[in-house]
Amino acid sequence: MARILVTGGTGYIGSHTVVCLMEQGYDVTIVDNLSNSNREVLDGITSITGHRPDFVEADCQDRTAMEQVFTTYPDIQAVIHFAASKAVGESVEKPLLYYRNNVLSLLTVLETMQRHGVNNIVFSSSCTVYGQPDEAHLPVDETAPRQQALSPYGNTKQINEDILTDAAHADKALRVILLRYFNPIGAHPSAKIGELPNGVPNNLLPFVTQTAAGLRPMLRVFGDDYNTPDGSCIRDYIYVMDLAKAHVKAVDRLLAATASEQVEVFNLGTGRGLSVLEIVRTFIEVTGQNVPYEIVGRREGDIEQVWANPAKANRVLGWKADTPVADVLLSAWNWEKHIRGI
Ligand code: NAD
Ligand code: WQD
């Protein structure tokens, strides 16, 4: 079976994807510098799959290290490039760090692939490239225009999409799949791997689970005066395992070389928008936990509502995100309990 290089493979989405790849029989090599994850994730993956993925601790910006990886594993046939810094707020404070890490990592991976004749890459992009779509473009499909990024982080996703598109234009052998994720949540049903937020979580679900676990006194709901049915923001929350499975489909497609276009873009979402208050209330209902919350003012830079039209991914990849949100929220809570020893 083919070997897949997974950069950022001990991270949140990467680790779930590694599990799915291994369960489909792929050999996996992970490269991660452990800047936002740890080695214990490898134990979780091993415990779930029964096999330990090959792991190289290295920085994707390090040309020598990446050269060594491709030399050690001449059977790599595709790369899934997750490795990036991803905190939106931090990217505003430290833009150069974000541009350096996210752009140079991709450039280094791509150049090394080219030297070793590896022509297939899946890239982790984000719905952030759409900004706030106008009403005519909701739910948002892949033809909706990208909008000026609201943060350096968002801008690195646009720049990296452009780098990959230009590289494919110049190199007719290169095959690229850009996956635009909506809001990934939840954890593997075994609760052996999951999301490990650093410090105070910015994202909704980790904040909800940490509040339920008593680590935070109160969840703040940012705004109930938006133009939405209950006034809180709407997002497309997608189960991380469903998201992971889409990566396997993308790799299958690249290796089968069936695509007529060199660069393909897919929205990965459920097609259903849920409000912040719907998420919080459903979480309370399915877990039976108390989550104290208060409504506060809007968070700067928040988009009012965005959710995906995933029809293209459903049709072309033969993939659908169909895990019920109740199960997803329960998996997030089980993971929180696991890491807190509750
Ligand atoms: P994560 O931080 O959990 O995983 C990223 C991994 O990459 C971490 O393990 C980190 O240690 C590693 N890494 C970072 N820079 C590296 C480098 N230079 N060299 C090697 N390893 C490096 O994040 P995640 O949520 O799993 O996100 C994965 C990808 O998906 C990222 O590209 C992110 O921007 C993108 N994405 C995430 C979301 C989300 O909400 N989680 C949404 C859209 C897109
Ligand atoms: C979701 C909703 C908040 C925390 C971010 C990035 C995006 C993508 C995913 C990578 C919003 C509300 C949140 C809280 C709240 N990442 N909220 N109280 O903002 O949709 O997207 O993560 O590409 O680029 O911008 O996700 O989880 O931060 O927020 O009320 O304590 O929950 O206002 O409406 P977001 P989020």
Side-chain angles (χ1 to χ4, degrees):
M1 196 72 174
R3 178 172 296 276
I4 312 301
L5 173 62
V6 182
T7 73
T10 45
Y12 174 43
I13 306 168
S15 57
H16 291 81
T17 301
V18 167
V19 165
C20 292
L21 286 166
M22 290 172 73
E23 284 175 346
Q24 291 305 308
Y26 283 109
D27 294 324
V28 171
T29 299
I30 295 174
V31 169
D32 201 299
N33 65 359
L34 304 179
S35 57
N36 200 35
S37 56
N38 59 57
R39 273 174 196 280
E40 285 73 73
V41 174
L42 298 167
D43 300 332
I45 295 171
T46 307
S47 165
I48 294 168
T49 62
H51 297 282
R52 201 170 181 85
D54 288 16
F55 174 70
V56 180
E57 183 178 345
D59 194 306
C60 290
Q61 299 174 63
D62 182 338
R63 293 170 70 102
T64 311
M66 292 312 292
E67 183 64 32
Q68 180 69 45
V69 168
F70 280 82
T71 307
T72 308
Y73 298 98
D75 53 342
I76 291 171
Q77 296 199 8
V79 177
I80 307 181
H81 184 54
F82 290 107
S85 304
K86 65 158 181 178
V88 175
E90 186 186 47
S91 81
V92 178
E93 306 294 320
K94 303 173 183 168
L96 302 187
L97 187 143
Y98 272 67
Y99 285 113
R100 169 171 290 278
N101 193 31
N102 294 4
V103 178
L104 273 190
S105 288
L106 175 68
L107 286 177
T108 309
V109 167
L110 263 182
E111 286 171 351
T112 319
M113 284 171 61
Q114 218 165 33
R115 277 197 301 278
H116 288 264
V118 177
N119 292 318
N120 300 306
I121 182 163
V122 177
F123 175 68
S124 298
S125 191
S126 168
C127 69
T128 193
V129 302
Y130 296 120
Q132 174 63 68
D134 56 39
E135 265 180 43
H137 284 107
L138 271 177
V140 68
D141 71 20
E142 295 82 355
T143 64
R146 295 189 324 188
Q147 295 195 47
Q148 175 80 46
L150 293 170
S151 68
Y153 165 77
N155 204 18
T156 67
K157 291 296 169 195
Q158 301 208 2
I159 291 169
N160 281 355
E161 287 194 352
D162 293 345
I163 288 172
L164 285 159
T165 305
D166 290 346
H169 183 74
D171 174 1
K172 295 300 172 209
L174 185 63
R175 300 269 149 180
V176 178
I177 292 187
L178 306 176
L179 298 178
R180 292 178 178 159
Y181 315 152
F182 281 66
N183 290 58
I185 59 168
H188 190 271
S190 67
K192 289 176 174 169
I193 52 171
E195 189 169 8
L196 284 168
N198 221 338
V200 182
N202 289 308
N203 292 118
L204 178 62
L205 240 289
F207 208 106
V208 168
T209 56
Q210 290 193 8
T211 308
L215 272 80
R216 316 264 161 220
M218 182 88 78
L219 167 73
R220 293 182 302 155
V221 172
F222 298 131
D224 69 348
D225 57 350
Y226 285 99
N227 183 25
T228 60
D230 67 20
S232 63
C233 292
I234 291 178
R235 298 287 184 276
D236 189 332
Y237 295 93
I238 174 171
Y239 184 33
V240 69
M241 286 302 293
D242 288 335
L243 188 62
K245 287 173 189 160
H247 291 75
V248 179
K249 296 285 190 181
V251 165
D252 290 346
R253 183 168 173 82
L254 287 174
L255 297 189
T258 45
S260 53
E261 290 165 28
Q262 258 186 286
V263 181
E264 290 186 309
V265 186
F266 295 102
N267 281 350
L268 298 182
T270 65
R272 179 173 176 220
L274 289 173
S275 74
V276 176
L277 289 170
E278 282 175 310
I279 286 285
V280 175
R281 288 174 186 148
T282 311
F283 181 89
I284 293 170
E285 198 180 299
V286 301
T287 62
Q289 294 299 306
N290 186 27
V291 181
Y293 66 87
E294 59 177 341
I295 312 283
V296 299
R298 295 180 176 195
R299 183 173 70 177
E300 198 189 327
D302 260 343
I303 287 184
E304 179 174 273
Q305 45 186 323
V306 63
W307 69 100
N309 176 345
K312 184 180 174 194
N314 297 163
R315 188 181 71 249
V316 177
L317 295 179
W319 165 91
K320 197 170 185 331
D322 52 11
T323 308
V325 70
D327 297 357
V328 181
L329 296 175
L330 210 48
S331 77
W333 175 233
N334 287 336
W335 167 247
E336 187 70 51
K337 285 197 292 185
H338 171 79
I339 50 179
R340 306 297 163 201
I342 300 173

